[in-house]
Amino acid sequence: MTKHILEMRKITKAFPGVKALSDVELSVIDGEIHGICGENGAGKSTLMKVLSGVYPYGTYEGDIVYDGEIQKFHSIPDSESKGIVIIHQELALIPYLSVAENIFLGNERRGKNGMIDWNQTNHEAMKLLKQVGLDENPITPVMQLGVGKQQLVEIAKALSKDVRLLILDEPTAALNDDDSEHLLSLLRTLKSRGITSIMISHKLNEIAEVCDRTTIIRDGHTIETLDIADEPGIQDRIIRGMVGRDLTSRYPSREHVVGEEVLRVEDWTVYHPTQPGRIVVDKASFNVRKGEVVGIAGVMGAGRTELAMSLFGRAYGRDITGSIYMHGEEIQVRDVSEAIRHGLAYATEDRKRYGLNLIDDVRRNISAAALFKLSKRGWVDQNKEIKVAEEYRGSMNIKTPTVMQTVGNLSGGNQQKVVLSKWIYSDAEVLILDEPTRGIDVGAKYEIYTIINRLVAAGKAVIIISSELPELLGTCDRIYTLAFGVVTGEVPVKDATQEKLMTLMTQEKTKDREVRA
Amino acid sequence: MTGTANLRELLTRNMRTSGIYIAFVAIVALFAFLTGGTLLSPGNVTNIVLQYSYILILAIGMVMVIIAGHIDLSVGSVVAVTGAISAVLVIKNGMPWWVGILAALGAGVLIGAWQGFWVAFVGIPAFITTLAGMLLFRGLTLLVLNNISLSPFPAEYQKIAGGFQNGLFGGPGYDVFTLVVFAVAVAGYAFAAYRTRRARIAYEQPVEAMPLFILKLVAVAAVVMWFAWQLANARGLPNVLIILAVLVMAYTLVTTRTVFGRHVYAIGGNLAAAMLSGVKVRWVNFGVMLNMGILASVAGVVYSSRSNGAQPAAGNMFELDAIAACFIGGAAVTGGVGRVTGAIVGGLIMAIMSNGMQLMGVDQSVQAVVKGLVLLLAVAFDVYNKRRAGAR
């Protein structure tokens, strides 16, 4: 008989006005990797917060049976003392502290006199880093590491707590393919050592690749638990469970009617803002035409976001050279407001940090980039503003009771629709969308693609930056590949395959080294 | 009509803004009771207006600074130095009274631009810039005054803060002019509120139910007219109240209706997002600090007029009263949240408490303890509210 390490029975968690979880069941077999799938807002994170003691015993109904006993966790240290460790989507490392300090934060290795024994700390940290396959000096400050390595430090931290059940919330959301692959294989290694994992992920291919079983949650209910091995076509099966309907296609089709050139960029070169001499974007040239969706493919750190932000009113980088042409005429873009006036728009990859004023309402976030359209001599016409916001609420299908709702309370997909509304209202001709569907559930993704189609149908030009190749293949007309700041290829979508793009995205690496060496 | 809000919804929907009014009424009632009604006597109501006007003027500028995510610790010193400049010109050199005012305001512009330059264009945090300014302008005050107090100002100058508009229409024992001015103001307010309501209905936005709307207007009118009655029964309409009213109205409009005001909130709410939405962050920050300098000089003129001279220690600790007024009035420490009216009510709460305790003969030391605790509680209440709202 299989032994369950964890059973969550009839978990119900209500917040004022909303029931986030109702009678959720989750059982995890000892030693497996268990996936949890669900749309954003389905209740996955809430369930994990109940499990880890963020929501203490008594604030939810139902039982947590762990190791055959009903547990009453009152706080995170309670659950950690039993070997349950959660790694959140937003990493909880302190950038200025070293790797070793971070690993043993709150769990410091003390010597005889109560002082911290640094030799032991660093020595143990080194052993832990070896276990997660990270070759770094433990005294390196965490901020000097990339996101992928930081994720590994988080796991090393979990191992230092003698973890038995490791919970990962969207562990690969911010990672590139290499780092993701490494992380997933690390999970398998941990599994072989008897550590059970629960992995929340939107990336269904990863669930299919690494998990033994997966539980699907929708609207606060458990839908089903599937054995990955038993199901052919598992990804479509999961999607069906998540959205409660079949998505005939993940990408809506559209007619490709491409007009004349709108934007052309030539020899665009950008230097790193703080590290002198480091070239981030190297002589990049590309163009977009009316009614066209152009993709920019590149792994993390290839300079995609840096390219976009430097074009958008020099919001990134220094010593920028190169030329921008709109409709064949060269334009000067010295700051963001000039970029907006020339018809450029840039929707950031991190909408919470750079895209939205989360404490303000939907209405004012929509008008933020185009107040000049709503104002005369500096006075804002608030009634018109409300009218505009209402129009976008309707046309973009933003799910909110009123446009006076605080944006921070909306789900990821709806927040992204607010960002898009803002830029559409600014009358942009060229919209640069940086990871437009990151952290958004499948249903909302489809809506975003539909909006993109509507934009190009109306004669706009769209540039999509994405690390998800299927997304680029499904939405674009042409795809540029970017590697180490250099445009390495331009491929019409009908000739493009994931393999071909991936080759171009990694090719310059070797060439680059040869040239510079 | 869609979605009509009822009274309870109106109060609970935003405890952050409505809580302050409830607290204000409670504190007025408490001190009116403790002082046996003296607090609300005509003479004392007039006195409160005269005594705290400069703090309220500072609070108007300060709330914008705080909304933008900064702080200004120098305003007390700026009040002192601008008042001193005015006093040196008018009292020592015998210049006309208006030259003193213009010079003080001019100094305010320069000081604001100076601090704005360091904050906005060099990127020194406002806390540091204005901490330096606090010392700098205090030092300049001592230099300008040669370390001695100057007084008295000519009668015209004294009237800025000490004068009254009254007797224009005569009156049987009370000033009819004051009542008329207030009546016109109330009518104007009612008209504006009605127009806003009509516009909101036209755009299908939720509004409060008609009886509630009328009740609100009647309540506001009653309080304002009672206030006017007390003033009319004392010495008429204080000049400084006119200055204050104009500033409150102007800055309420600036913060809520203009692009500049909107950008101030955007910067405080999310600096990066504001920058990427095309807000000229540096110029907005510069404008906010410049404006604070100007309002501090207005307060400097009012204060020097009221104290009828300039003293080396003038304006000491004013910055703390102004900052406290903003936070009691619901501004957020992290920026992006706050209102001019909130800061004014916050300032009035401080004023009523000080005045009430003075009337009761409470010791200075105890007054300071009570005011400190009230500030702490007000912000604790705000934090509690935020946590409750964000409990998800």
Side-chain angles (χ1 to χ4, degrees):
Chain A
M1 194 192 137
T2 49
K3 184 184 159 232
H4 286 103
I5 185 169
L6 171 75
E7 277 181 86
M8 298 181 81
R9 291 180 192 149
K10 287 195 173 299
I11 301 289
T12 298
K13 168 81 188 165
F15 295 107
V18 58
K19 214 171 192 183
L21 299 173
S22 53
D23 292 337
V24 170
E25 303 272 341
L26 174 71
S27 60
V28 179
I29 298 171
D30 201 4
E32 75 168 340
I33 301 179
H34 195 103
I36 295 185
C37 305
E39 292 192 307
N40 280 2
K44 299 164 299 190
S45 297
T46 310
L47 185 66
M48 291 305 111
K49 282 179 180 169
V50 168
L51 174 56
S52 59
V54 174
Y55 299 132
Y57 175 76
T59 63
Y60 59 88
E61 293 163 39
D63 291 324
I64 299 175
V65 181
Y66 175 73
D67 256 355
E69 283 172 33
I70 292 182
Q71 304 288 342
K72 297 176 181 175
F73 299 134
H74 292 282
S75 62
I76 294 179
D78 274 3
S79 60
E80 284 187 348
S81 69
K82 301 274 181 175
I84 300 177
V85 179
I86 183 163
I87 297 178
H88 291 281
Q89 192 174 353
E90 286 93 18
L91 298 180
L93 298 173
I94 297 170
Y96 301 102
L97 294 186
S98 75
V99 170
E101 282 170 310
N102 267 293
I103 289 176
F104 293 106
L105 188 64
N107 187 19
E108 284 81 3
R109 290 292 176 262
R110 293 206 176 92
K112 270 177 245 142
N113 49 11
M115 301 290 192
I116 293 175
D117 183 341
W118 285 112
N119 289 328
Q120 197 201 346
T121 301
N122 289 333
H123 179 68
E124 279 187 40
M126 207 134 70
K127 282 198 289 190
L128 289 166
L129 291 180
K130 203 177 248 170
Q131 286 184 39
V132 299
L134 183 58
D135 183 23
E136 288 285 343
N137 192 329
I139 60 169
T140 314
V142 156
M143 64 181 169
Q144 289 178 13
L145 305 180
V147 194
K149 289 181 175 176
Q150 290 191 16
Q151 187 72 265
L152 296 178
V153 173
E154 281 273 18
I155 293 177
K157 187 175 170 180
L159 292 178
S160 80
K161 292 171 185 161
D162 297 323
V163 61
R164 291 185 52 217
L165 176 60
L166 182 65
I167 304 164
L168 302 117
D169 192 351
E170 296 277 356
T172 60
L175 305 191
N176 63 28
D177 286 353
D178 282 348
D179 286 345
S180 301
E181 194 46 54
H182 183 90
L183 185 85
L184 296 181
S185 68
L186 176 62
L187 286 186
R188 286 194 205 96
T189 315
L190 294 179
K191 177 183 163 184
S192 70
R193 263 191 266 147
I195 295 175
T196 313
S197 301
I198 295 177
M199 179 166 110
I200 298 177
S201 183
H202 278 130
K203 297 188 178 170
L204 303 184
N205 55 336
E206 291 178 0
I207 298 266
E209 192 185 323
V210 78
C211 293
D212 300 294
R213 299 191 309 150
T214 184
T215 297
I216 299 167
I217 296 179
R218 183 172 80 221
D219 302 331
H221 297 267
T222 306
I223 301 303
E224 56 191 341
T225 297
L226 301 169
D227 268 313
I228 303 281
D230 292 355
E231 295 271 349
I234 182 73
Q235 293 191 38
D236 289 336
R237 182 82 180 74
I238 295 175
I239 289 175
R240 213 152 61 224
M242 277 165 64
V243 299
R245 62 184 182 274
D246 277 304
L247 279 182
T248 45
S249 162
R250 273 189 247 180
Y251 306 100
S253 63
R254 71 184 157 92
E255 287 196 36
H256 299 258
V257 190
V258 175
E260 81 272 20
E261 177 187 277
V262 183
L263 172 78
R264 185 168 86 247
V265 175
E266 282 181 1
D267 290 334
W268 196 254
T269 304
V270 181
Y271 284 83
H272 194 276
T274 53
Q275 299 174 14
R278 185 173 151 200
I279 297 180
V280 183
V281 180
D282 195 356
K283 290 208 172 80
S285 299
F286 63 91
N287 64 51
V288 204
R289 284 168 289 187
K290 207 174 160 184
E292 188 181 36
V293 181
V294 166
I296 294 183
V299 297
M300 283 245 169
R304 312 165 307 176
T305 299
E306 291 79 0
L307 169 63
M309 280 182 68
S310 60
L311 284 173
F312 191 59
R314 305 181 176 228
Y316 172 89
R318 62 192 300 167
D319 298 336
I320 297 168
T321 52
S323 4
I324 308 176
Y325 299 85
M326 279 297 259
H327 300 293
E329 275 179 48
E330 180 160 10
I331 57 166
Q332 293 299 321
V333 185
R334 281 166 298 232
D335 61 22
V336 174
S337 61
E338 248 179 348
I340 294 171
R341 265 207 306 284
H342 282 300
L344 291 175
Y346 171 65
T348 68
E349 60 180 333
D350 190 341
R351 59 181 168 269
K352 289 192 177 177
R353 270 172 65 193
Y354 302 120
L356 292 167
N357 183 354
L358 292 174
I359 59 173
D360 211 340
D361 55 31
V362 172
R363 160 189 59 151
R364 295 200 185 127
N365 271 287
I366 289 178
S367 67
L371 274 179
F372 57 87
K373 281 177 73 181
L374 288 169
S375 59
K376 267 192 202 130
R377 283 185 228 97
W379 294 89
V380 179
D381 183 342
Q382 295 186 304
N383 292 320
K384 196 173 157 200
E385 184 178 34
I386 289 172
K387 204 174 142 203
V388 167
E390 284 291 352
E391 277 168 25
Y392 279 97
R393 178 163 80 110
S395 68
M396 304 287 276
N397 192 22
I398 301 168
K399 290 187 195 93
T400 169
T402 102
V403 292
M404 308 297 189
Q405 179 77 30
T406 308
V407 165
N409 294 344
L410 302 185
S411 73
N414 285 308
Q415 286 182 356
Q416 188 69 334
K417 289 181 206 164
V418 172
V419 172
L420 291 177
S421 303
K422 169 168 100 173
W423 291 117
I424 294 170
Y425 183 62
S426 80
D427 289 333
E429 287 182 85
V430 181
L431 290 100
I432 307 173
L433 310 180
D434 198 348
E435 300 279 4
T437 61
R438 168 177 294 174
I440 291 180
D441 58 65
V442 179
K445 272 186 182 177
Y446 191 85
E447 283 188 87
I448 301 284
Y449 299 137
T450 313
I451 291 167
I452 292 172
N453 285 355
R454 244 169 37 213
L455 286 173
V456 290
K460 310 268 185 199
V462 176
I463 299 174
I464 297 180
I465 297 173
S466 179
S467 46
E468 286 180 45
L469 293 179
E471 174 172 283
L472 290 177
L473 293 170
T475 53
C476 295
D477 295 290
R478 271 187 304 144
I479 299 170
Y480 288 97
T481 53
L482 197 63
F484 298 88
V486 179
V487 174
T488 53
E490 177 189 349
V491 190
V493 77
K494 61 180 191 308
D495 304 335
T497 60
Q498 293 201 44
E499 292 72 22
K500 192 168 174 180
L501 291 175
M502 195 46 89
T503 317
L504 286 166
M505 281 157 65
T506 46
Q507 109 183 78
E508 193 68 11
K509 194 177 186 175
T510 47
K511 200 172 122 196
D512 191 58
R513 286 211 176 125
E514 279 162 26
V515 171
R516 306 259 152 128
Chain B
M1 205 188 304
T2 56
T4 334
N6 61 29
L7 180 63
R8 201 164 149 211
E9 212 178 307
L10 203 70
L11 288 176
T12 53
R13 190 178 49 200
N14 208 339
M15 276 304 275
R16 190 175 210 149
T17 44
S18 61
I20 173 89
Y21 297 106
I22 297 168
F24 179 64
V25 171
I27 283 172
V28 170
L30 177 69
F31 280 101
F33 173 73
L34 289 176
T35 59
T38 318
L39 182 87
L40 299 178
S41 69
N44 193 53
V45 167
T46 305
N47 191 30
I48 291 174
V49 172
L50 299 181
Q51 207 177 340
Y52 295 97
S53 52
Y54 36 87
I55 298 291
L56 298 181
I57 293 171
L58 291 175
I60 294 171
M62 189 65 78
V63 77
M64 292 175 70
V65 171
I66 288 173
I67 292 168
H70 305 297
I71 197 93
D72 192 335
L73 301 176
S74 70
V75 292
S77 299
V78 178
V79 164
V81 76
T82 50
I85 288 169
S86 176
V88 166
L89 290 176
V90 177
I91 299 173
K92 222 173 174 180
N93 296 326
M95 302 257 203
W97 59 276
W98 51 268
V99 172
I101 295 176
L102 287 182
L105 295 181
V109 171
L110 290 178
I111 290 168
W114 162 263
Q115 305 210 99
F117 166 75
W118 290 104
V119 171
F121 296 106
V122 184
I124 313 280
F127 185 89
I128 305 296
T129 305
T130 60
L131 184 63
M134 184 177 174
L135 299 168
L136 182 61
F137 301 121
R138 180 63 61 190
L140 287 177
T141 307
L142 299 178
L143 277 178
V144 169
L145 288 178
N146 243 335
N147 245 337
I148 41 169
S149 299
L150 290 178
S151 80
F153 274 110
E156 292 94 334
Y157 196 93
Q158 289 181 37
K159 277 196 181 145
I160 299 165
F164 294 85
Q165 298 298 321
N166 54 16
L168 270 79
F169 299 157
Y174 53 85
D175 183 42
V176 177
F177 175 73
T178 306
L179 294 178
V180 170
V181 168
F182 273 88
V184 169
V186 166
Y189 170 76
F191 180 66
Y194 180 69
R195 265 188 43 174
T196 310
R197 184 187 160 83
R198 285 288 300 269
R200 285 180 67 101
I201 292 171
Y203 285 102
E204 298 183 340
Q205 293 297 309
V207 291
E208 59 263 77
M210 197 62 185
L212 187 62
F213 175 72
I214 291 171
L215 189 74
K216 204 174 104 183
L217 282 187
V218 170
V220 169
V223 169
V224 171
M225 288 318 292
W226 171 85
F227 179 60
W229 176 249
Q230 296 300 86
L231 290 178
N233 271 303
R235 297 162 67 187
L237 182 60
N239 288 337
V240 69
L241 186 63
I242 300 174
I243 298 175
L244 192 60
V246 169
L247 289 175
V248 169
M249 278 192 284
Y251 280 95
T252 302
L253 286 177
V254 166
T255 49
T256 57
R257 297 276 174 90
T258 66
V259 173
F260 175 75
R262 207 51 90 61
H263 285 172
V264 173
Y265 281 94
I267 288 175
N270 186 340
L271 181 65
M275 201 270 282
L276 285 173
S277 296
V279 175
K280 302 202 168 182
V281 173
R282 290 176 173 188
W283 284 105
V284 175
N285 281 336
F286 181 78
V288 166
M289 296 308 289
L290 176 67
N291 178 62
M292 183 74 249
I294 295 170
L295 283 176
S297 68
V298 172
V301 170
V302 171
Y303 184 72
S304 62
S305 162
R306 169 154 175 85
S307 61
N308 193 16
Q311 307 83 30
N316 228 346
M317 309 283 269
F318 280 12
E319 57 279 343
L320 300 186
D321 280 345
I323 292 168
C326 295
F327 288 134
I328 292 175
V333 186
T334 45
V337 179
R339 291 161 74 141
V340 170
T341 45
I344 292 294
V345 176
L348 284 174
I349 287 178
M350 299 283 284
I352 301 277
M353 285 194 314
S354 302
N355 180 272
M357 286 190 288
Q358 276 164 25
L359 290 176
M360 290 162 64
V362 175
D363 198 69
Q364 279 284 340
S365 49
V366 179
Q367 287 188 31
V369 169
V370 171
K371 275 165 44 175
L373 287 176
V374 167
L375 172 62
L376 194 63
L377 285 178
V379 179
F381 176 73
D382 185 48
V383 170
Y384 164 76
N385 256 331
K386 232 191 283 181
R387 194 171 302 158
R388 201 187 50 170
R392 262 175 234 175

